């Protein structure tokens, strides 16, 4: 296909405006009121950039291209529309992994092309010693290095994200741990780097490299992504997904440099930086360092004995609980992922609305890592129709707990465990928690006597001011609603 | 052509931009935001199209098709999922604007 000479310039301009729209869109996403427009603007930028790409000079394989785009878009669109909100974290992991895989594939393709070109010009160095043979193959040494790094990061992000997806989806329930795992993983990584470096050194030197080195490099990078993610527990997954998100961004930026595509460089780099910051924020909210997440073993046996918890579990029935809250002045609802699993958020919101109608001041208290990802609980509550101005962050609500008459905990466990403040031997010691135990009364809706994600007894449940409302989250919430309604006749 | 230090400048400025934008986002939007940035790196589709557009031979075209397929999935999935989440955020006060960014 041939186009007029000005077409590439227009395409460049469209890429530029796409980069502007991405940054603008992300900026709009920083407030709930404008967030929706933000993603739409970014979407407009993306759509025009993709369309414009068809008009670049010298594009072949258009049939394959349109077909692959159609299949990829339709499949993802259907999956993305259908998944329940509780499954959002693994969806992010899945789509992120696809992006990482794409970046790695682009890098691999560029390297293959480069090497194939070098194979055609066997020994340029002897003919023109001053000319760098690689130039004939179309990549500068910097581009060559970045292509390799992009493949490495993209491949790790690809398989790592897929493992994270499988774990959160419940396809791989347990952590996969064996002795000396860290060293095995390190060995895989080092060998991958060595294979890549051998190929890279040859390429920079202007010689073609043996295909085996490149293949081994890519395969080992893919294997490393799996090996690195396998031992990480479900609780730490959000941090890992966020990190892979940043990885993919970087890989995209590097491959963008190789392809001389500014939109990819800017978008990739913005995501790389944003993802890195987000990863730090999440790790901090969970009181975990990134190193700890990647190489530590959480809840993995040993350690000093934890303090015994005194007291007993005191049950309450749903009607009494409903009455208690109906005549309270302030009620704080503390939801956790368990609420979402039980699909109780709609009933809880119905209950909260009834309380609000009676003049009770109701707030929702959200721990930064409630749900499976920071902000996930907000999404789940929003889905149930809870307005975001009733939702308080941990830092805002914690000073209010002493003035709260009733705190209703549903499906949350570790994030309200006062042991995090008091018991130095506890694995969760030091983790920021919601000070639910300081409320005048606490009601905990719980299915049974199980422990939290971290496998630790919860001192809150044994406290004097705590009553346990046993039952499935949704059923219990339903009983609360009935109890409240019966008060009015 | 972008070369050497010019590229470094672009990398640096883009990195700071990303850092700045995210540092102002309230926690309640972290999940949609992660998903939103996930969508933005779907721009890799453009690169995948270019790579496939210049690929020759069955193996290269195969790799290119895989790249485009994956990237297209990233773009579409990232968009749908983000949009679905953001669509749900509502406030109870219709007029009197609540200040959602109380904490920076």
């Amino acid at each position: 296909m041939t186009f007029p000479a000005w077409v590439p310039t227009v395409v460049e301009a469209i890429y530029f405006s796409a980069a502007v729209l991405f940054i603008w869109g992300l900026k709009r996403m920083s407030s709930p009121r404008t967030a929706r427009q933000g993603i739409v603007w970014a979407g407009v930028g993306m759509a025009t950039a993709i369309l414009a790409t068809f008009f670049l000079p010298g594009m072949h394989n258009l049939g394959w291209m349109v077909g692959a785009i159609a299949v990829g878009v339709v499949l993802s669109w259907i999956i993305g529309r259908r998944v329940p909100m509780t499954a959002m974290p693994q969806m992010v992991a899945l789509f992120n992994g696809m992006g990482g895989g794409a970046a790695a594939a682009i890098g691999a393709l560029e390297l293959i092309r480069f090497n194939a070109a070098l194979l055609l010009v066997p020994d340029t160095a002897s003919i023109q010693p001053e000319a760098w043979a690689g130039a004939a193959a179309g990549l500068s040494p910097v581009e060559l290095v970045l292509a390799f790094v992009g493949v490495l990061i993209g491949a790790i992000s690809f398989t790592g994200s897929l493992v994270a997806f499988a774990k959160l989806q419940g396809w791989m329930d347990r952590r996969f741990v064996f002795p000396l795992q860290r060293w095995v993983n390190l060995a895989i990584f080092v060998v991958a780097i060595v294979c890549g470096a051998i190929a890279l050194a040859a390429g920079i030197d202007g010689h073609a490299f043996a295909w085996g080195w490149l293949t081994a490099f890519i395969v080992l990078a893919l294997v490393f992504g799996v090996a690195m993610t396998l031992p990480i527990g479900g609780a730490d997954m959000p941090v890992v997904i966020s990190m892979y998100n940043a990885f993919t961004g970087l890989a995209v930026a590097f491959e963008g440099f190789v392809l001389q595509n500014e939109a990819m460089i800017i978008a990739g780099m913005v995501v790389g930086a944003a993802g890195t910051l987000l990863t730090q924020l999440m790790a901090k909210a969970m009181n975990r360092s990134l190193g700890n997440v990647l190489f530590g073993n959480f809840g993995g046996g040993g350690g000093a004995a934890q303090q015994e918890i005194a007291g007993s579990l005191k049950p309450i029935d749903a009607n009494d609980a409903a009455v208690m809250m109906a005549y309270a002045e302030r009620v704080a609802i503390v939801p956790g992922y368990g609420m979402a699993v039980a699909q109780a958020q709609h009933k809880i919101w119905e209950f909260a609305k009834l309380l609000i109608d009676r003049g009770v001041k109701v707030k929702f208290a959200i721990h930064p890592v409630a749900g499976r990802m920071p902000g996930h609980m907000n999404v789940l509550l929003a889905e149930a129709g809870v307005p975001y101005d009733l939702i308080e962050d941990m830092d805002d609500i914690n000073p209010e707990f002493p003035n709260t008459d009733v705190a209703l905990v549903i499906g949350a466990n570790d994030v309200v465990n006062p042991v995090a403040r008091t018991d130095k031997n506890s694995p969760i010691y030091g983790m920021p928690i919601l000070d639910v135990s300081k409320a005048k009364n606490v009601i905990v809706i719980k299915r049974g006597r199980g422990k939290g994600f971290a496998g630790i007894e919860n001192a809150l449940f044994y406290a004097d001011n705590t009553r346990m409302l046993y039952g499935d989250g949704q059923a219990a919430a339903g009983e609360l609603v009935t109890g409240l309604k019966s008060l009015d006749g | 052509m972008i070369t050497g230090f010019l590229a470094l400048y672009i990398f640096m400025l883009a990195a700071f931009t990303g850092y700045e934008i995210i540092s102002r986002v309230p926690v309640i939007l972290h999940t949609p935001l992660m998903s939103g940035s996930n969508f933005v790196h779907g721009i890799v589709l453009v690169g995948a199209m270019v790579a496939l557009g210049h690929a020759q031979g069955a193996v290269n075209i195969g790799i290119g098709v895989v790249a485009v397929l994956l990237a297209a999935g990233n773009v579409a999935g990232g968009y749908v999922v983000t949009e679905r989440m953001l669509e749900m955020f509502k406030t109870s006060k219709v007029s009197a604007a609540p200040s959602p960014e109380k904490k920076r």
Side-chain angles (χ1 to χ4, degrees):
Chain A
M1 247 188 285
T2 46
F3 298 111
W6 47 265
V7 168
T9 314
V10 174
V11 173
E12 285 292 304
I14 290 175
Y15 285 165
F16 176 78
S17 61
V20 172
L21 285 174
F22 291 155
I23 296 174
W24 171 249
L26 282 174
K27 175 127 190 64
R28 300 293 278 176
M29 279 186 225
S30 65
S31 156
R33 266 178 304 162
T34 55
R36 173 97 194 278
Q37 300 161 22
I39 183 69
V40 173
W41 280 117
V44 169
M46 186 71 77
T48 49
I50 292 167
L51 281 180
T53 305
F54 281 106
F55 296 94
L56 281 175
M59 295 283 274
H60 300 279
N61 308 320
L62 289 176
W64 281 111
M65 203 179 288
V66 173
I69 293 176
V71 172
V73 166
V74 168
L75 280 183
S76 281
W77 195 276
I78 294 172
I79 297 171
R81 274 272 153 226
R82 289 203 178 156
V83 287
M85 281 297 154
T86 41
M88 280 302 141
Q90 55 263 48
M91 282 302 117
V92 175
L94 177 65
F95 296 137
N96 176 56
M98 293 169 110
I106 294 171
L109 213 46
E110 289 299 309
L111 291 172
I112 292 172
R113 203 203 326 276
F114 172 83
N115 201 33
L118 276 186
L119 286 170
L120 288 179
V121 259
D123 208 0
T124 335
S126 58
I127 308 164
Q128 300 172 278
E130 74 281 5
W132 185 65
L139 290 181
S140 72
V142 179
E143 286 170 342
L144 198 54
V145 173
L146 286 184
F148 268 98
V149 179
V151 169
L152 178 70
I153 303 177
I156 294 174
S157 171
F158 177 51
T159 49
S161 296
L162 291 187
V163 172
F165 164 77
K167 284 200 170 198
L168 288 178
Q169 189 73 15
W171 293 351
M172 291 170 58
D173 256 351
R174 46 190 221 88
R175 296 198 303 158
F176 188 79
V177 192
F178 55 85
L180 294 179
Q181 189 165 24
R182 253 179 266 180
W183 297 107
V184 172
N185 288 359
L186 185 69
I188 297 174
F189 185 70
V190 168
V191 176
I193 297 282
V194 168
C195 291
I198 290 173
L200 185 59
I204 288 182
D205 209 29
H207 301 293
F209 44 81
W211 292 114
W213 294 118
L214 181 63
T215 314
F217 168 67
I218 295 173
V219 170
L220 285 173
L222 291 170
V223 170
F224 180 71
V226 175
M228 180 175 154
T229 320
L230 278 177
I232 299 171
D236 287 331
M237 257 333 145
V239 180
V240 176
I241 294 173
S242 179
M243 188 184 73
Y244 288 143
N245 192 32
F247 273 21
T248 303
L250 285 180
V252 169
F254 291 163
E255 299 306 345
F257 183 79
V258 175
L259 295 172
Q260 295 282 309
N261 184 309
E262 295 85 347
M264 276 172 78
I265 298 180
I266 293 173
M269 210 60 208
V270 165
V271 173
T276 308
L277 177 60
L278 212 52
T279 310
Q280 286 168 355
L281 289 177
M282 287 187 194
K284 208 172 124 199
M286 296 168 72
N287 192 37
R288 311 265 285 137
S289 73
L290 194 55
N292 213 338
V293 168
L294 296 178
F295 310 114
N297 22 3
F298 196 31
Q306 291 157 36
Q307 284 171 17
E308 282 293 310
I309 295 166
S312 59
L313 295 168
K314 297 162 283 291
I316 187 171
D317 85 49
N319 274 330
D320 294 346
V323 171
M324 201 161 145
M325 285 183 270
Y327 292 101
E329 199 179 327
R330 289 170 199 278
V331 170
I333 300 176
V334 183
Y337 188 67
M339 176 195 76
V341 172
Q343 284 294 311
Q345 60 267 48
H346 298 275
K347 277 283 170 205
I348 284 289
W349 173 228
E350 189 184 345
F351 178 67
K353 275 192 288 192
L354 288 171
L355 286 178
I356 292 169
D357 289 344
R358 296 181 65 95
V360 181
K361 294 197 179 77
V362 179
K363 286 275 170 67
F364 286 82
I366 311 282
H367 190 273
V369 293
R372 293 199 142 173
M373 209 184 249
H376 188 202
M377 189 50 64
N378 302 83
V379 172
L380 295 169
L381 289 178
E383 186 193 17
V386 180
Y388 59 76
D389 47 313
L390 292 185
I391 301 176
E392 297 276 353
D393 291 347
M394 180 173 69
D395 294 337
D396 294 328
I397 194 98
N398 264 351
E400 290 186 29
F401 274 115
N403 298 323
T404 300
D405 300 300
V406 183
L408 176 66
V409 177
I410 170 161
N413 193 339
D414 295 330
V415 297
V416 295
N417 193 344
V419 159
R421 285 197 196 288
T422 54
D423 185 355
K424 282 208 166 77
N425 293 326
S426 172
I428 60 167
Y429 179 75
M431 181 174 90
I433 56 159
L434 287 162
D435 284 330
V436 171
S437 55
K438 293 186 182 155
K440 288 169 193 156
N441 297 284
V442 180
I443 296 170
V444 178
I445 299 181
K446 207 166 178 310
R447 188 192 291 272
R449 285 162 166 245
K451 295 172 183 177
F453 226 18
I456 307 156
E457 280 291 354
N458 194 332
L460 175 73
F461 301 165
Y462 295 89
D464 287 338
N465 56 347
T466 301
R467 297 290 177 274
M468 304 297 288
L469 176 52
Y470 288 113
D472 168 72
Q474 193 175 5
E479 285 168 28
L480 286 177
V481 170
T482 328
L484 208 52
K485 280 183 176 156
S486 66
L487 276 181
D488 301 322
Chain B
M1 282 291 275
I2 321 161
T3 46
F5 277 100
L6 183 57
L8 210 54
Y9 278 110
I10 297 181
F11 279 141
M12 183 269 292
L13 290 173
F16 272 106
T17 308
Y19 199 88
E20 271 303 301
I21 292 174
I22 301 295
S23 60
R24 285 165 199 221
V25 173
V27 181
I28 78 162
L29 285 173
H30 273 182
T31 293
L33 193 87
M34 188 153 139
S35 174
S37 60
N38 183 24
F39 163 68
V40 167
H41 69 52
I43 188 72
V44 70
L45 175 55
V46 166
M49 288 167 70
V50 172
L52 173 59
H54 294 100
Q56 286 167 342
V59 175
N60 288 11
I61 291 179
I63 299 175
V65 167
V66 169
V68 171
L69 193 68
L70 289 174
N74 183 182
V75 168
Y79 184 83
V80 171
V81 160
T82 311
E83 208 261 354
R84 262 182 77 194
M85 282 193 265
L86 290 176
E87 191 185 36
M88 296 179 316
F89 281 91
K90 293 183 206 78
T91 170
S92 61
K93 296 157 197 160
V94 184
S95 55
S99 152
E101 29 189 336
K102 49 198 165 204
K103 275 247 154 75
R104 300 218 140 181

